Amino acid sequence: MEEFEPRIIAFLCHWCTYTGADLAGTTRQQYPPNIRIIHMMCSGAVDTIYILKALIDGADGVLIGGCHPGDCHYQTGNYKARRRVGILKEIFHQVGFTEDRIWLRWISASEGKLFADTVTQMVEELKKMGPNPMKKLWLA
Amino acid sequence: MKKIGVFICHCGINIAGTVDVKAVSRETGEMEDVVHSEDYIYMCSDPGQLLIHNAIREKGLDGVVVACCSPTMHEATFRKAVESEGLNPYVCEIANIREQCSWVHQGDKERATSKAGEIIRSVLEKLRQNEALETLTMPLTKRALVIGGGIAGITASIDLADSGYEVILVERQPSIGGRLDQLSLTFPHLDDARCILGPKKAEIANNPKIRVMPYCEVEEVKGFIGNFDVRIRRKPTYVDWDKCTACGVCLEKCPVESLSDFERGLTTRKAIYTGALSENSGKPVIDPIHCRHLVDGTCTICQEVCPEGAIRYDQGEELLEERVGAIVVATGYDLFPMEKIGEYGYGRIPDVIDGLAFERMLSPSGPTGGEIRRPSDGRIPREVVFIQCVASRDPERYMPYCSRVCCMYTAKQAKLLKQKIPNSQPYIFFMDVRTDSKGYEEFLQGAIEEEELIYLRGRVARVFQEGDKVRVWGEDTLTNRKVELDADMVVLATAVVPSEGIKDIAARLRATADKHGFLTEAHIKLYPVESPTKGIFLAGCGQGPKDITDTVAQASATASKIQSLFSQDALLQDPLVAFVDPEICSGCGICVQVCPYEAREMDEYRGISKVHEALCQGCGACIAACPNNACELRNSKAVQVFGMMETFAEGAEGSLADG
Ligand SMILES: Cc1cc2nc3c(=O)[nH]c(=O)nc-3n(C[C@H](O)[C@H](O)[C@H](O)COP(=O)(O)OP(=O)(O)OC[C@H]3O[C@@H](n4cnc5c(N)ncnc54)[C@H](O)[C@@H]3O)c2cc1C
Ligand code: SF4
Ligand code: SF4
Ligand code: FES
């Protein structure tokens, strides 16, 4: 059997992490092609529904990328994201799903290497976890 | 959208070296609603763009996807190309297959190719639901209101007027000048404050574009960037300024005296007084709290002596309405009320004064004519103790922040003391000495060497009166010794705090202030002179403590921001903003709370929320917070995000099936 290749859906804020992901490209950092990026204006715009739907639709992991604390272009969007993701993870924990499939990371526009490293690491972790069971459970 | 064209760029070998562009082009050609799919070596080049022009003309495309580099590179280029063919620019979207695909997966051509196909498909999903949008245009009143007539407000006003815009400068005191009017010589070059301020005041007076409104306050502000409706209250001066010639007779004859704020309580002023009292310049106002006529009608002296008949005891306040397009908040600072600090005896011990009072003593126009004399008995002091960081950098009890000017003005004051009284000895208690601007460290070192200033590192524990001396108990933490000094006078460098009433002003402007009352910026690095509330700009110490150099620089920066705003014919606004579905909105008001820009407001009549498009920055905070999914961002609607996600998940099915 072929090795399991996890799928990551990423929501990246325009001003920092999306631009950081661009920089990863410009500087030719290499990371595995398991990630699909959706551009958001701010991490604070990532609705919890998006995260849930991504997991139910079959993503094995969700990455939310925003500006470092204090750097959000819209002042406090990343704090809103942090709170929201915190609550969602807590709910996951309570109902017995692993919350480790949801990653919230602060990656600035100058941290192209950090972006590449984060994706590489996330793919490795998700490989260890195996496929996300949520979709099957949802359809069952 | 039924006729979409997809254009895939090779970017030389940057994309084509990793992604099989021909295969991707074939694949996208099969996708629903795609009527045209082609690849080209450089899409952004003229011949590349020509392909788009031709395809729109020949096939009547109603949507375009360009798969190429990041949208931050060429989105604008391709939208312009599409627009020139008569399409709406917002029906063109970019699929980022270079920075986020070919360049980062150079070792895995197969998977990079299928990823590129998926990225294009997801962008197609988004594009299908895009709306054609028009740039929002709003009328613009090219006139500015400046609140506060210190050096910040003065500088911003002059800069704006010089570029041709009208300015209304509102100052709540009887005259403009602010704190700079109270200072003596200024660090780092020891130029006289008057020599800085005087010419500026003259410029203001002679500039027909600037309307100074002294003794006025901003009562109410409505509206938004481009068109604020401001109500200004002119407080009664009880003097007809049109008649008054500022001869000063009334000031001489008025029998009532009270402590002068301007002179920091070092001397008295009359119940009829002018802004910068010591100069006897400017037109006077009557202080209704002390004037005997206004209190109980027992005096009419000023009315009797005024040669112009300008006194008007029955004058009322006046309300004026003005429309402006931008507002500068330059309300400056106060010093921390020393009465609130028990340990230094301020207010109880007459020879303990604050930094501004010492400035008045040093000033040739001050109450002592520039001589340094103890307030208690008028004697010339010998031993003077300066205490820095009083109520600053003291998070447990007072203000946690550094007031930024005290280190320098204390060094300046100690130096001037030594120059005026050569046999005096200044002692300075400090925590650190911060001299972080051009020429400041040199100034400090020069002062220490030339004037033999004694710097003692440590906090002062107690200050108390003993005989005619002021006893100071402190410690020198560098030598670990207790220090006891018998001083003739103590000068406290108290914390710089925002001007009284700043929170009211901020609330009226819907601008935000931090917990101390300093106005907050839209972004400390990227938008340091803009308030988060669009159209409100910041200058001077109301935003944070700073010296004159930084104040002036900031005021000019603010003015230039307003100049570029006013240089437009109308306000242009990106249409990618929030909107509300009135059928779904429950009127819970959560969006109003989360919006950092005051762009959401409840429509009182309909009980639902609305968006002020001129203010919305499109951050999406309200969208994620709305519990009913009643609001959305234009062209980033939830269905569009869902569509993109599903594309990616379908890809997942494929790969799972493969595996
Ligand atoms: C003791 C001392 C010594 C100093 N010495 C130096 C020095 O040597 N060199 C140096 O570079 N800096 C020095 N500074 C700092 C300097 O005073 C400031 O940088 C400068 O005055 C700031 O100007 P501003 O216009 O921001 O504020 P301000 O001078 O405070 O002006 C604000 C103005 O706004 C008005 N205002 C306030 N609220 C309202 C309202 N609601 N409506 C209408 N008007 C309002 C006020 O009446 C005032 O006129 C010193 C400061 C202190 C305390
Ligand atoms: S949060 Fe949503 S439902 Fe509540 S008022 Fe705002 S738009 Fe309406
Ligand atoms: S998108 Fe952001 S700026 Fe616009 S209304 Fe919503 S919260 Fe306010
Ligand atoms: S803009 Fe990056 S997190 Fe808000």
Side-chain angles (χ1 to χ4, degrees):
Chain A
M1 200 177 103
E2 246 178 71
E3 198 191 355
F4 160 62
E5 287 295 349
R7 283 243 149 189
I8 300 168
I9 292 190
F11 299 97
L12 307 185
C13 94
H14 176 82
W15 303 97
C16 284
T17 316
Y18 189 92
T19 313
D22 276 352
L23 182 69
T26 318
T27 54
R28 310 297 196 277
Q29 306 287 332
Q30 301 298 304
Y31 56 83
N34 302 47
I35 186 166
R36 301 291 178 267
I37 293 168
I38 296 180
H39 171 271
M40 291 272 135
M41 283 318 283
C42 173
S43 66
V46 180
D47 198 324
T48 28
I49 303 278
Y50 297 174
I51 306 172
L52 280 170
K53 185 170 158 60
L55 290 170
I56 289 167
D57 280 353
D60 298 297
V62 173
L63 171 66
I64 299 117
C67 314
H68 285 272
D71 286 352
C72 171
H73 191 81
Y74 307 101
Q75 301 173 46
T76 53
N78 47 3
Y79 298 135
K80 290 173 180 135
R82 182 163 66 188
R83 225 172 302 142
R84 214 170 274 141
V85 170
I87 293 169
L88 187 65
K89 284 189 162 205
E90 181 56 31
I91 295 171
F92 267 50
H93 186 73
Q94 296 290 336
V95 300
F97 284 132
T98 166
E99 73 254 32
D100 301 340
R101 293 185 187 277
I102 307 169
W103 286 33
L104 173 65
R105 292 292 183 275
W106 310 139
I107 300 172
S108 79
S110 61
E111 293 174 326
K113 178 156 189 333
L114 179 62
F115 179 78
D117 291 349
T118 303
V119 177
T120 308
Q121 195 195 352
M122 190 169 179
V123 170
E124 276 165 27
E125 297 290 323
L126 288 170
K127 277 186 180 169
K128 281 185 224 152
M129 277 181 240
N132 168 24
M134 272 183 87
K135 180 170 186 180
K136 267 195 209 128
L137 290 171
W138 183 261
L139 292 177
Chain B
M1 247 162 253
K2 284 287 161 215
K3 291 180 181 174
I4 301 175
V6 181
F7 301 86
I8 299 152
C9 184
H10 301 190
C11 195
I13 55 160
N14 283 308
I15 294 172
T18 304
V19 169
D20 182 345
V21 283
K22 296 281 177 208
V24 173
S25 174
R26 273 195 303 277
E27 187 192 332
T28 44
E30 306 290 305
M31 290 177 191
E32 200 186 332
D33 299 331
V34 175
V35 296
H36 182 94
S37 175
E38 73 182 305
D39 57 279
Y40 187 69
I41 182 161
Y42 289 113
M43 277 308 301
C44 59
S45 67
D46 285 346
Q49 291 189 47
L50 193 62
L51 298 176
I52 301 179
H53 288 279
N54 290 341
I56 293 175
R57 268 180 240 165
E58 285 158 21
K59 301 207 177 151
L61 301 182
D62 57 4
V64 167
V65 173
V66 187
C68 55
C69 49
S70 171
T72 54
M73 303 291 297
H74 279 308
E75 186 179 79
T77 314
F78 294 120
R79 286 195 169 163
K80 213 176 273 168
V82 163
E83 197 176 11
S84 72
E85 288 300 327
L87 290 185
N88 184 283
Y90 292 93
V91 302
C92 170
E93 289 283 351
I94 304 295
N96 182 344
I97 61 164
R98 189 180 74 173
E99 280 82 347
Q100 297 182 0
C101 187
S102 70
W103 271 349
V104 288
H105 309 312
Q106 287 170 329
D108 196 339
K109 296 192 175 170
E110 201 179 312
R111 289 176 72 202
T113 301
S114 64
K115 177 173 169 177
E118 266 182 56
I119 293 174
I120 296 171
R121 191 191 290 272
S122 77
V123 173
L124 274 169
E125 282 307 318
K126 173 178 194 281
L127 176 69
R128 255 190 255 285
Q129 316 238 21
N130 264 14
E131 293 169 74
L133 300 173
E134 298 299 331
T135 303
L136 304 166
T137 52
M138 270 150 280
L140 176 62
T141 304
K142 299 184 184 190
R143 178 203 276 173
L145 168 72
V146 177
I147 308 174
I151 188 63
I154 288 175
T155 305
S157 299
I158 293 175
D159 281 11
L160 284 166
D162 281 351
S163 46
Y165 302 112
E166 276 177 50
V167 179
I168 300 171
L169 173 56
V170 169
E171 166 58 56
R172 69 175 168 196
Q173 295 294 335
S175 65
I176 59 168
R179 296 288 173 203
L180 194 45
D181 235 344
Q182 291 177 293
L183 304 187
S184 57
L185 304 183
T186 55
F187 63 74
H189 297 308
L190 296 183
D191 23 10
D192 194 316
R194 299 301 152 111
C195 303
I196 303 175
L197 200 52
K200 291 281 167 195
K201 280 189 181 177
E203 251 184 89
I204 293 255
N206 295 328
N207 197 319
K209 294 267 179 199
I210 304 174
R211 194 159 117 224
V212 182
M213 300 185 69
Y215 220 49
C216 286
E217 287 190 36
V218 173
E219 182 110 328
E220 192 182 86
V221 179
K222 284 190 183 153
F224 306 104
I225 180 170
N227 297 288
F228 290 104
D229 286 312
V230 189
R231 180 181 295 165
I232 299 165
R233 185 165 60 92
R234 186 176 190 271
K235 301 177 278 188
T237 55
Y238 305 103
V239 178
D240 182 344
W241 280 12
D242 289 338
K243 291 196 166 169
C244 171
T245 57
C247 69
V249 179
C250 51
L251 276 67
E252 240 168 70
K253 301 289 183 204
C254 171
V256 186
E257 296 195 7
S258 63
L259 286 181
S260 161
D261 284 344
F262 184 83
E263 301 295 358
R264 302 299 284 180
L266 292 177
T267 183
T268 56
R269 67 155 157 78
K270 299 295 179 66
I272 185 163
Y273 70 103
T274 58
L277 169 87
S278 44
E279 281 181 336
N280 260 0
S281 66
K283 305 200 173 173
V285 301
I286 297 181
D287 158 14
I289 303 195
H290 294 98
C291 167
R292 274 192 211 153
H293 184 93
L294 294 174
V295 171
D296 56 14
T298 55
C299 172
T300 51
I301 290 178
C302 57
Q303 195 170 47
E304 286 157 28
V305 300
C306 176
E308 309 297 329
I311 305 297
R312 294 276 177 279
Y313 295 126
D314 59 352
Q315 196 184 57
E317 64 178 32
E318 238 178 288
L319 289 174
L320 298 124
E321 307 272 347
E322 295 291 345
R323 174 165 282 203
V324 296
I327 301 176
V328 179
V329 198
T331 48
Y333 69 96
D334 275 334
L335 291 184
F336 188 86
M338 285 307 307
E339 305 76 57
K340 290 198 189 157
I341 301 182
E343 63 263 43
Y344 298 129
Y346 182 88
R348 280 178 286 121
I349 307 172
D351 295 326
V352 176
I353 61 172
D354 68 13
L356 278 175
F358 198 65
E359 290 290 329
R360 294 311 299 144
M361 266 188 204
L362 290 168
S363 171
S365 64
T368 54
E371 279 189 49
I372 300 168
R373 293 183 175 275
R374 305 196 334 159
S376 61
D377 53 13
R379 266 187 27 222
I380 292 184
R382 296 270 176 270
E383 317 258 280
V384 178
V385 171
F386 294 86
I387 308 177
Q388 294 192 177
C389 288
V390 175
S392 294
R393 303 175 65 196
D394 193 348
E396 265 101 62
R397 297 181 306 162
Y398 307 113
M399 300 307 184
Y401 55 81
C402 165
S403 291
R404 288 193 60 202
V405 287
C406 324
C407 288
M408 280 302 289
Y409 79 63
T410 301
K412 168 191 79 175
Q413 292 180 341
K415 177 179 168 123
L416 295 175
L417 165 74
K418 206 59 205 283
Q419 287 178 351
K420 291 204 179 215
I421 311 171
N423 63 350
S424 65
Q425 181 58 58
Y427 300 91
I428 299 156
F429 282 95
F430 71 103
M431 287 169 62
D432 303 286
V433 182
R434 297 180 169 175
T435 51
D436 63 348
S437 279
K438 200 168 169 180
Y440 285 12
E441 180 62 18
E442 296 90 318
F443 178 91
L444 174 81
Q445 294 308 334
I448 293 176
E449 277 162 35
E450 289 155 29
E451 314 298 348
E452 295 168 341
L453 311 179
I454 297 179
Y455 272 81
L456 299 160
R457 183 178 180 155
R459 284 247 189 217
V460 168
R462 244 188 107 193
V463 174
F464 55 99
Q465 185 90 52
E466 196 156 275
D468 71 343
K469 295 277 184 187
V470 186
R471 198 135 238 264
V472 179
W473 282 0
E475 55 171 346
D476 180 356
T477 54
L478 294 179
T479 56
N480 228 344
R481 270 187 318 190
K482 283 220 167 91
V483 182
E484 293 189 18
L485 294 165
D486 275 329
D488 296 306
M489 206 163 94
V490 173
V491 183
L492 306 177
T494 45
V496 169
V497 297
S499 284
E500 202 197 317
I502 185 79
K503 289 196 174 158
D504 297 337
I505 279 283
R508 254 166 248 168
L509 295 168
R510 286 161 293 145
T512 46
D514 67 17
K515 63 173 183 259
H516 311 296
F518 290 116
L519 295 157
T520 38
E521 328 62 27
H523 191 285
I524 190 133
K525 300 183 189 77
L526 300 172
Y527 307 108
V529 298
E530 293 98 324
S531 156
T533 306
K534 273 213 211 169
I536 311 280
F537 298 83
L538 316 174
C541 292
Q543 179 261 344
K546 57 179 70 66
D547 57 26
I548 299 165
T549 308
D550 285 0
T551 298
V552 170
Q554 195 182 30
S556 287
T558 281
S560 79
K561 286 284 174 181
I562 297 175
Q563 285 155 358
S564 55
L565 173 71
F566 285 179
S567 68
Q568 308 172 76
D569 293 329
L571 266 185
L572 299 181
Q573 159 87 340
D574 191 6
L576 300 175
V577 294
F579 68 98
V580 184
D581 184 339
E583 301 294 322
I584 307 177
C585 174
S586 69
C588 68
I590 289 175
C591 51
V592 178
Q593 287 162 30
V594 299
C595 176
Y597 304 100
E598 308 276 342
R600 302 298 302 263
E601 194 188 0
M602 294 308 290
D603 181 330
E604 297 300 336
Y605 291 109
R606 299 164 66 192
I608 56 173
S609 155
K610 58 182 180 187
V611 178
H612 291 292
E613 294 185 328
L615 301 179
C616 176
Q617 313 275 311
C619 73
C622 58
I623 281 98
C626 174
N628 300 317
N629 298 322
C631 48
E632 300 254 35
L633 269 189
R634 298 239 180 251
N635 287 358
S636 297
K637 295 185 290 268
V639 284
Q640 295 179 285
V641 178
F642 288 175
M644 297 181 86
M645 282 197 284
E646 280 159 16
T647 315
F648 291 148
E650 274 161 25
E653 299 243 288
S655 72
L656 283 177
D658 294 344

